Amino acid sequence: MNNKIEKLSDKYSAEKARFHKELSEFAQTLGQHITLKGNWAVKGFIDAFKNVYAIPSDTIFISKILELTVFPFLLDFAHRIGYTIESAAHQNLYPDFTFVNNENSEIKFAVDLKTSPISEKRNTRCAGFMLGLHGEYYTDRDSNKNIQYPYNKYVAHFCLGIIYSSITLPAEIGAKKYSIEDFAKIPSVINRFIFFAVEKWRIASDKCSTKNCYYIASIKKIKDIIAGNGAFAKAGEEIFDDYWANYGKIQVETEDGRQRPMDTIDKYIKYKGLSIDIKNKNYF
């Protein structure tokens, strides 16, 4: 497969390390900007008549509003560390944000803002993230399809993540119309925030998203997300790239002697004849 992304990453390894450090530190400051006493500072929508409506407990609404509230601080952050941000031109374009170095435009970082609620049944896990396509721009690193710049033009690919607890409001509260004077009484729909920044490959699972099999799914165990301890943590980025470039395309023989698409890391390791010990699947 194309090795340009690895070579570019090696060429600017020092800047990659600096960017990761700065982005991680920035992530830890987000709480002071978007939370108040542990709760989401955003309370609702306001209309021209100064009526305020509570935000619904819907992950699509919450995700978009989080992105809107984080973006001004992200712009300030980029300016401070010497970068310009290019936002995705449309919704399905990867990545959400392209950071371009002001002194050397060859240095680009892909940053996706990812949000996920903590599981209601197991508070050690979240719903997980979709980490981008493993389609044309992924298999053809020079492709411009559905991506801001070809994949191999990025030094590294990062997730800026927000994990939170969702609060389901009683119907009579969620549908209530509030006045500006009652603003402080409006309940927050999310709290218990966890912020992190990590390279995409480090939190990837070996599964595609259940919603759309063209998307790479993340791991779900929160402590492993924060630590970057995904399915490919021991194997490395090169194997992550090769696995997803060939996901479902290579036929491998299973224990019962049948030919099946390669769709697990175990099948990949066996097919490649590798000696990587990956036993802990607790986070998948």
Side-chain angles (χ1 to χ4, degrees), residues 23-214:
L23 188 65
S24 296
E25 290 176 356
F26 167 74
Q28 299 313 309
T29 70
L30 283 175
Q32 69 192 50
H33 298 303
I34 67 171
T35 69
L36 183 65
K37 297 180 179 179
N39 293 307
W40 198 14
V42 177
K43 297 290 186 176
F45 303 96
I46 186 169
D47 64 19
F49 305 104
K50 297 183 180 181
N51 297 311
V52 183
Y53 305 87
I55 295 171
S57 301
D58 183 291
T59 56
I60 295 176
F61 277 97
I62 290 169
S63 178
K64 189 59 182 177
I65 297 170
L66 279 170
E67 180 181 327
L68 290 172
T69 54
V70 165
F71 187 58
F73 304 106
L74 200 61
L75 281 174
D76 291 341
F77 161 72
H79 177 74
R80 178 174 60 79
I81 66 168
Y83 280 79
T84 299
I85 291 180
E86 295 181 11
S87 297
H90 54 80
Q91 185 176 358
N92 295 323
L93 196 70
Y94 174 85
D96 292 333
F97 309 109
T98 295
F99 281 69
V100 183
N101 188 284
N102 292 335
E103 295 183 358
N104 182 355
S105 62
E106 188 179 38
I107 302 175
K108 297 180 181 70
F109 292 101
V111 177
D112 266 353
L113 179 62
K114 296 297 181 183
T115 65
S116 178
I118 295 172
S119 171
E120 294 180 2
K121 296 181 179 179
R122 302 180 68 180
N123 62 12
T124 60
R125 293 175 181 261
C126 68
F129 318 101
M130 290 193 294
L131 300 178
L133 294 165
H134 58 92
E136 182 174 325
Y137 74 68
Y138 195 83
T139 55
D140 177 3
R141 297 301 173 92
D142 294 315
S143 173
N144 287 298
K145 186 176 180 180
N146 297 326
I147 190 168
Q148 190 85 353
Y149 293 95
Y151 203 91
N152 66 11
K153 297 297 183 183
Y154 291 95
V155 175
H157 302 258
F158 288 94
C159 290
L160 176 61
I162 304 175
I163 298 171
Y164 59 86
S165 283
S166 183
I167 303 168
T168 303
L169 301 179
E172 63 273 13
I173 295 178
K176 186 178 178 181
K177 181 173 67 176
Y178 296 86
S179 67
I180 290 292
E181 290 73 21
D182 292 331
F183 186 82
K185 298 178 183 178
I186 303 174
S188 298
V189 294
I190 57 176
N191 61 11
R192 293 177 59 204
F193 291 84
I194 300 169
F195 304 97
F196 66 92
V198 66
E199 283 190 79
K200 180 175 75 173
W201 73 270
R202 289 189 173 275
I203 60 170
S205 75
D206 64 344
K207 308 296 182 187
C208 60
S209 169
T210 55
K211 294 180 181 179
N212 189 327
C213 205
Y214 292 106

Side-chain angles (χ1 to χ4, degrees), residues 222-284:
I222 294 172
K223 73 174 186 179
D224 286 317
I225 291 173
I226 295 169
N229 188 27
F232 300 89
K234 293 181 179 179
E237 186 176 10
E238 186 174 348
I239 287 179
F240 161 78
D241 282 341
D242 191 53
Y243 173 84
W244 281 107
N246 292 290
Y247 181 85
K249 298 174 183 176
I250 297 172
Q251 294 292 312
V252 296
E253 186 174 326
T254 59
E255 292 181 357
D256 59 5
R258 298 183 180 183
Q259 294 291 313
R260 299 289 187 191
M262 186 203 69
D263 56 3
T264 70
I265 193 169
D266 288 333
K267 291 178 183 178
Y268 174 88
I269 289 170
K270 184 177 180 180
Y271 174 80
K272 291 287 186 176
L274 302 175
S275 58
I276 303 170
D277 182 20
I278 299 177
K279 293 181 179 179
N280 180 15
K281 290 195 175 182
N282 217 20
Y283 38 64
F284 290 178

Side-chain angles (χ1 to χ4, degrees), residues 9 12-20 109 155-156 158 199 237:
S9 181
Y12 297 112
S13 58
E15 181 60 15
K16 174 184 169 182
R18 183 183 82 90
F19 185 86
H20 189 189
F109 292 101
V155 175
F158 288 94
E199 283 190 79
E237 186 176 10

